[in-house]
Amino acid sequence: MTKKPLLAPNIAPLPPRRPSRAEAEDAVRTLLAWAGDDPARPGLIDTPARVADAYGEYFSGYRADAAAELATTFEETAGYDDIVLLKDIRFESHCEHHIAPFAGIAHVAYMPSGRIVGLSKLARVVEIFARRLQTQEALTSEVAATIMTALAPQGVAVMMSAEHTCMSARGVRQPHVTTVTSRFLGRFESETALRDRFMMMVHAPR
Ligand SMILES: [Zn+2]
């Protein structure tokens, strides 16, 4: 087991001053009134507090360090240097344009180079970046770049498919549209055959 120095990718820092809890709840009251309702009516009286709590969960990724999750690695691999794939990692995120939820699954693969990482840590990296305001494109890139930087493996492949409520519930109102994004780094980027194997493994039945 070795500790690797952290090389955090370029991630937006917290805003300089975090508003107080009371300010956040006031902002929710303003939005409720803006929507056309009365924030003082009984059904809505506790909503600002609940929304503040919910934001704490939805956006807990701002207070977590994805690279730190990958700092502990294992060198006892018995020479294993082939694709390690985690399929169907469920994630929930929010689009940075409308704060509308989008949810889907991620497939994350890497080819180790002498050391491996705990499997749950890869899923944790997806979760940390998903629990921030995102675009699916940026989310896909950030997960791939973080694993590539932290583990220095032979390659990383990330594929995500998600449904965006900002498309289904508003705007063009297209339900059941799936957005698919992928990011290939290292050997997955340079070798078509490896990308093909990744795709085959992703689509193979369990
Ligand atoms: Zn949106």
Side-chain angles (χ1 to χ4, degrees):
M1 204 193 277
T2 54
K3 281 261 179 192
K4 194 179 176 290
L6 301 181
L7 297 166
N10 194 16
I11 292 155
L14 279 175
R17 188 190 76 89
R18 194 172 189 219
S20 70
R21 168 94 190 191
E23 286 173 313
E25 292 185 15
D26 275 345
V28 177
R29 263 176 226 110
T30 302
L31 282 175
L32 289 170
W34 166 253
D37 214 318
D38 173 11
R41 75 174 170 83
L44 290 179
I45 200 80
D46 293 327
T47 298
R50 289 196 203 97
V51 171
D53 285 343
Y55 264 47
E57 287 183 42
Y58 298 159
F59 304 117
S60 59
Y62 288 111
R63 294 176 298 284
D65 183 345
E69 296 288 336
L70 302 174
T72 302
T73 55
F74 305 90
E75 282 163 9
E76 301 81 21
T77 64
Y80 189 90
D81 60 358
D82 209 278
I83 298 174
V84 178
L85 167 65
L86 264 77
K87 267 166 75 161
D88 301 328
I89 303 166
R90 174 88 193 162
F91 69 85
E92 277 149 29
S93 189
H94 287 79
C95 86
E96 67 183 23
H97 303 130
H98 306 95
I99 324 183
F102 69 96
I105 49 170
H107 311 295
V108 176
Y110 76 111
M111 276 184 92
S113 184
R115 57 212 176 89
I116 54 171
V117 71
L119 296 174
S120 66
K121 304 296 187 183
L122 297 170
R124 178 79 184 124
V125 169
V126 173
E127 193 194 13
I128 287 172
F129 285 113
R131 289 187 175 270
R132 297 179 185 186
L133 288 165
Q134 280 292 6
T135 64
Q136 188 178 324
E137 294 88 337
L139 176 59
T140 307
S141 284
E142 286 167 0
V143 169
T146 299
I147 297 168
M148 195 69 191
T149 305
L151 299 183
Q154 302 173 66
V156 174
V158 177
M159 191 169 169
M160 293 184 168
S161 55
E163 217 176 290
H164 293 249
T165 55
C166 68
M167 261 187 85
S168 57
R170 57 158 297 285
V172 293
R173 298 200 185 172
Q174 281 284 339
H176 315 305
V177 173
T178 302
T179 303
V180 182
T181 48
S182 59
R183 183 90 170 122
F184 300 106
L185 299 174
R187 288 185 61 190
F188 285 103
E189 189 180 22
S190 56
E191 296 177 33
T192 313
L194 270 183
R195 275 203 301 280
D196 290 348
R197 278 186 58 212
F198 168 77
M199 299 301 282
M200 244 171 53
M201 288 167 79
V202 162
H203 292 118
R206 276 161 217 276

